[in-house]
């Protein structure tokens, strides 16, 4: 009996000596911390050369194949555009979104000659890679959605620039 | 007692104070002040341009406080959506109009294979107000 008590007491003492059991301090690097383990001394490591993430191939394929444009795709593009692009580019694409009113550099209007003449691939690439002070939206906007947004930008451009000669039925609706 | 002493010193005024001396001192003081004021005016007029002209009010900008951010955003978005929701002329002479975005989406969808292609015709509509500084 006495020996048992003694051994359990000793065990308690030994356990107490094991240090911090709270799991607050784990044996790992914190975000943005220094890391002696790696050559560049940083915890954040780029992907090793040649790595292909899951779904990369499918994404690369979708990037080269614009989906056919129908109302569903355009509606999707409109929704995504209003979420991700309108804060800067404005709902009508004039580059006068709320963030610009608050001092962010003004983007060019989609209704300028240059961007009306730009092909859809350019819009896709700008979303993927960013452009000038505009950062990339690749992480937020899926490949198919990028094409949807590109198509919707065409619709925006169309809505602010219709040649009435091409659409005779428009005459009756105009003031 | 000190207070009584003081009282007795102040009241009454002894009759032998000469009123002319008092008047001379006060008059002299006023003269010096008048001379100083006149001198100052002469100096300002001669050497400090604009000092004597009446100052114009300088309006300063109102503080850029936003008292109702939600209301401002709602108003802003309503204004932006309005540009996408009605028919109107952009340039009547050239036959250019703007149409609601739903119509435009139908027009783009109707282009079928060529939906992504750049739109025909160019030259900026005057409605192109905001946008790039380049």
């Amino acid at each position: 009996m006495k020996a048992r008590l003694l051994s359990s007491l000793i065990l308690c003492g030994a356990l107490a000596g094991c240090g911090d059991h709270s799991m607050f301090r784990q044996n790992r690097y914190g975000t943005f911390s220094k890391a002696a383990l790696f050559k560049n001394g940083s915890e954040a490591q780029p992907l090793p050369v040649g790595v292909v993430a899951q779904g990369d191939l499918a994404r690369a394929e979708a990037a080269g194949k614009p989906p056919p444009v129908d109302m569903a795709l355009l509606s999707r593009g409109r929704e995504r555009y209003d979420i991700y692009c309108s804060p800067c580019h404005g709902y009508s694409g004039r580059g006068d979104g709320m963030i610009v009113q608050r001092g962010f550099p003004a983007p060019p209007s989609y209704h300028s000659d240059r961007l009306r003449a730009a092909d859809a691939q350019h819009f896709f690439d700008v979303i993927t890679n960013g452009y000038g002070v505009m950062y990339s939206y690749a992480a937020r906007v899926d490949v198919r959605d990028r094409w949807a947004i590109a198509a919707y930008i065409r619709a925006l451009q169309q809505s602010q620039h219709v040649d009435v000669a091409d659409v005779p039925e428009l005459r009756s609706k105009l003031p | 007692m000190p207070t009584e002493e003081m009282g007795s010193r102040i009241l009454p005024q002894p009759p032998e104070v000469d009123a002319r001396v008092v008047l001379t001192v006060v008059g002299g003081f006023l003269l010096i002040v008048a001379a100083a004021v006149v001198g100052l005016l002469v100096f300002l007029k001669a050497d400090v341009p604009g000092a004597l002209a009446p100052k114009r009010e300088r309006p300063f900008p109102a503080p850029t406080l936003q008292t109702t951010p939600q209301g401002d955003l709602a108003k802003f978005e309503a204004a932006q959506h309005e540009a996408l929701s009605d028919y109107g002329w952009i340039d009547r002479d050239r036959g250019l109009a703007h149409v609601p975005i739903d119509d435009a989406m139908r027009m783009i969808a109707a282009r079928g294979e060529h939906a992504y292609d750049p739109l025909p015709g160019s030259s900026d509509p005057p409605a192109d107000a905001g946008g790039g500084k380049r």
Side-chain angles (χ1 to χ4, degrees):
Chain A
M1 182 66 205
K2 245 194 186 149
R4 271 238 208 116
L5 196 67
L6 195 69
S7 63
S8 62
L9 270 179
I10 289 174
L11 196 67
C12 279
L15 277 178
C18 278
D20 189 357
H21 294 284
S22 62
M23 293 177 77
F24 283 150
R25 301 184 52 183
Q26 298 178 7
N27 209 4
R28 60 166 175 76
Y29 291 130
T31 309
F32 302 137
S33 64
K34 285 183 186 163
L37 208 57
F38 297 110
K39 228 184 235 157
N40 65 1
S42 161
E43 159 275 332
Q45 294 294 309
L47 289 179
V49 180
V51 159
V52 178
Q54 295 235 2
D56 263 1
L57 295 180
R59 274 190 285 276
E61 198 181 79
K65 265 200 297 185
V69 177
D70 52 14
M71 281 310 275
L73 189 84
L74 283 165
S75 299
R76 174 76 180 170
R78 179 182 196 169
E79 184 202 25
R80 296 291 112 178
Y81 177 88
D82 286 357
I83 293 172
Y84 291 111
C85 318
S86 71
C88 296
H89 286 271
Y91 284 97
S92 51
R94 294 218 161 78
D96 55 357
M98 183 48 100
I99 291 182
V100 175
Q101 315 287 317
R102 291 274 168 273
F104 195 82
S109 167
Y110 292 146
H111 309 294
S112 67
D113 276 353
R114 184 175 63 84
L115 286 177
R116 286 175 55 81
D119 55 2
Q121 185 70 46
H122 178 62
F123 299 132
F124 184 94
D125 292 341
V126 170
I127 303 174
T128 309
N129 305 318
Y131 184 92
V133 296
M134 175 184 148
Y135 42 83
S136 159
Y137 274 77
R140 271 157 282 197
V141 182
D142 196 38
V143 171
R144 191 183 145 85
D145 289 343
R146 287 176 221 163
W147 285 118
I149 291 177
Y152 179 67
I153 291 178
R154 282 279 178 256
L156 279 177
Q157 293 174 333
Q158 178 78 83
S159 89
Q160 299 303 307
H161 190 282
V162 179
D163 200 338
V164 180
D166 297 341
V167 196
E169 66 269 23
L170 201 58
R171 271 231 192 269
S172 56
K173 295 175 182 161
L174 283 167
Chain B
M1 265 209 179
T3 39
E4 244 167 42
E5 230 173 66
M6 261 171 90
S8 70
R9 256 201 244 151
I10 291 166
L11 290 171
Q13 181 181 301
E16 62 268 25
V17 171
D18 191 345
R20 276 175 308 176
V21 175
V22 175
L23 284 180
T24 312
V25 168
V26 171
F29 171 74
L30 289 180
L31 268 181
I32 288 175
V33 169
V37 168
V38 169
L40 190 64
L41 286 179
V42 167
F43 165 74
L44 285 178
K45 188 158 178 103
D47 288 332
V48 188
L52 295 185
K55 281 266 189 305
R56 248 191 304 122
E57 229 176 72
R58 207 158 18 113
F60 55 90
T64 51
L65 298 179
Q66 200 180 15
T67 46
T68 53
Q70 293 91 343
D72 287 356
L73 185 64
K75 237 186 275 166
F76 176 77
E77 291 188 344
Q80 291 225 320
H81 281 305
E82 203 180 285
L84 291 178
S85 60
D86 61 351
Y87 298 90
W89 288 104
I90 288 169
D91 187 339
R92 200 167 193 145
D93 299 333
R94 288 190 295 154
L96 284 182
H98 64 86
V99 300
I101 185 66
D102 296 297
D103 285 23
M105 282 161 70
R106 271 191 288 278
M107 289 159 81
I108 293 291
R111 293 170 90 201
E113 271 186 20
H114 299 289
Y116 288 108
D117 294 354
L119 295 162
S122 55
S123 69
D124 259 16
D128 187 359
K133 337 132 249 169
R134 297 174 294 154

